[in-house]
Amino acid sequence: MTEEQAVIIAEAMGGNAWQSGGDTWLVVRERTDGRLVVMSDECVCEYVDQDAFDRAQVSNSVLLV
């Protein structure tokens, strides 16, 4: 997804647009229980916390393509 798309989606979801490198943009939203929901243009992933996200340990995911 482009930066513009990520910003629009992040605003709608109450999250943040984040560039993960290589011009790859994600939308990151932290839930009230500390879990992270991360959306790309290909999937939506849930992580139990920031540390799990940093280690790329997905707890749930939905493939969009």
Side-chain angles (χ1 to χ4, degrees):
M1 96 179 50
T2 67
E3 178 180 8
E4 181 180 5
Q5 291 168 326
V7 168
I8 291 168
I9 294 168
E11 287 177 5
M13 291 181 55
N16 298 302
W18 183 69
Q19 186 184 44
S20 66
D23 201 31
T24 300
W25 284 89
L26 303 173
V27 174
V28 180
R29 182 177 187 278
E30 185 173 356
R31 295 178 5 170
T32 56
D33 62 2
R35 292 181 178 268
L36 295 180
V37 176
V38 180
M39 178 185 285
S40 73
D41 55 355
E42 297 179 352
C43 66
V44 178
C45 297
E46 180 186 48
Y47 300 86
V48 295
D49 56 22
Q50 181 67 46
D51 189 48
F53 175 69
D54 293 341
R55 292 188 325 263
Q57 293 182 323
V58 177
S59 60
N60 291 300
S61 65
V62 176
L63 189 59
L64 302 174
V65 292

